[in-house]
């Protein structure tokens, strides 16, 4: 069993839809990261969370420490949001989820 | 903001040759650099952690003599894939911790060994 589990693995949405990606982890962590990987491979760090909720533009990330669960929400999705979103839990080391491949259709 | 500049972004090399990948920290000092590898359709995998001025720490199963890591200064860490083989073809990415701000990632290097 992986230390970090993401769902769904693949997601297709119509432009404008509200999107949620879930991440559950089983290790003790100091922080949880949400990363965005574009088709070319480049990775952008979206959020680092240790508690509560953060918002950046149309992106919202939440974390529930007790339940060991985090969600990434995208409001008013756009085709440029199409990417792989990766959840990474930082404990003694980084544990990465396998990613959620998001495709937003115009 | 703090950025890690990674070069080259892609490289094709012949089997048996060596390839060097550089990660430079811009506008900050990176005392630690993490090196990851990602095979197609798979998650990022931590290969090693480099610390400025000391030997890198390698994850289990990663060959030290094949993946040479040098972190000679506070702004430069390099990964050299020695005697590369087709199975080394992968996406390599570096990451540096930022005090209080999480991590910044290099843009990655796609290595193809032919």
């Amino acid at each position: 069993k992986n230390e970090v589990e993401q769902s769904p693995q693949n997601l297709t949405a119509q432009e404008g839809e509200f999107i949620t990606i879930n991440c559950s982890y089983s290790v003790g962590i100091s922080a949880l990261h949400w990363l965005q990987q574009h088709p070319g491979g480049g990775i952008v760090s979206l959020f680092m969370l240790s508690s509560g909720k953060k918002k950046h533009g149309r992106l919202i990330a939440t974390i529930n420490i007790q339940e060991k669960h985090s969600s990434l929400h995208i409001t008013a999705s756009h085709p440029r949001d199409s990417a792989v979103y990766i959840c990474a839990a930082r404990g003694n080391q980084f544990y990465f989820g396998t990613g959620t491949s998001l495709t937003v259709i115009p | 903001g703090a950025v890690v500049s990674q070069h080259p972004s892609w490289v094709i090399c012949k089997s048996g040759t060596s390839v060097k990948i550089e990660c430079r920290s811009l506008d900050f000092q990176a005392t630690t650099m993490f090196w990851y590898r990602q095979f197609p359709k798979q998650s990022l995998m931590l290969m090693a952690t480099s610390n400025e001025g000391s030997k890198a720490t390698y994850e289990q199963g990663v060959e030290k003599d094949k993946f040479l890591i040098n972190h000679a200064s506070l702004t430069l860490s390099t990964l050299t894939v020695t005697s590369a083989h087709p199975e080394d073809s992968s996406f390599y990415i570096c990451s540096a911790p930022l005090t209080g701000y999480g991590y910044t990632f290099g843009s990655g290097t796609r290595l193809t060994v032919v």
Side-chain angles (χ1 to χ4, degrees):
Chain A
K1 188 181 186 301
N2 293 331
E3 290 83 0
V4 176
E5 299 278 358
Q6 271 185 252
S7 64
Q9 288 188 337
N10 296 283
L11 181 57
T12 301
Q14 288 292 135
E15 183 173 356
E17 283 187 13
F18 181 84
I19 289 164
T20 296
I21 300 171
N22 294 300
C23 174
S24 296
Y25 55 93
S26 58
V27 293
I29 66 168
S30 56
L32 185 128
H33 298 254
W34 282 100
L35 313 171
Q36 181 190 54
Q37 185 174 34
H38 289 280
I43 290 181
V44 174
S45 180
L46 298 175
F47 293 104
M48 181 186 72
L49 289 165
S50 54
S51 65
K53 174 181 174 179
K54 286 189 176 180
K55 184 176 188 294
H56 182 69
R58 295 180 294 106
L59 302 177
I60 303 167
T62 63
I63 188 168
N64 185 317
I65 300 294
Q66 286 73 30
E67 295 184 4
K68 294 190 172 181
H69 181 269
S70 176
S71 293
L72 176 68
H73 306 284
I74 304 175
T75 62
S77 60
H78 190 275
R80 64 174 174 266
D81 297 327
S82 298
V84 174
Y85 292 84
I86 302 169
C87 169
R90 176 68 179 169
N92 293 327
Q93 65 179 71
F94 260 121
Y95 300 92
F96 292 91
T98 52
T100 295
S101 180
L102 170 66
T103 303
V104 181
I105 301 170
Chain B
V3 170
V4 170
S5 176
Q6 184 170 348
H7 294 280
S9 55
W10 60 270
V11 57
I12 301 173
C13 71
K14 289 187 176 181
S15 188
T17 62
S18 295
V19 173
K20 181 185 283 188
I21 301 169
E22 293 187 350
C23 279
R24 292 181 184 274
S25 58
L26 307 179
D27 299 325
F28 76 103
Q29 293 181 332
T31 54
T32 299
M33 192 74 73
F34 300 99
W35 287 93
Y36 303 91
R37 179 169 56 185
Q38 185 183 36
F39 292 108
K41 306 289 186 184
Q42 294 187 25
S43 177
L44 288 169
M45 184 185 74
L46 180 65
M47 297 175 66
T49 303
S50 73
N51 294 289
E52 186 268 335
S54 63
K55 289 184 179 180
T57 303
Y58 290 81
E59 297 300 303
Q60 192 173 8
V62 178
E63 299 175 59
K64 301 179 184 181
D65 295 331
K66 181 165 187 63
F67 299 99
L68 299 179
I69 290 175
N70 185 284
H71 196 150
S73 78
L74 289 170
T75 58
L76 176 64
S77 177
T78 62
L79 167 67
T80 301
V81 183
T82 63
S83 188
H85 289 279
E87 57 264 32
D88 298 323
S89 298
S90 187
F91 185 75
Y92 295 86
I93 194 164
C94 60
S95 169
L98 303 174
T99 305
Y101 294 91
Y103 294 81
T104 183
F105 289 81
S107 54
T109 297
R110 189 167 299 284
L111 170 64
T112 302
V113 184
V114 297

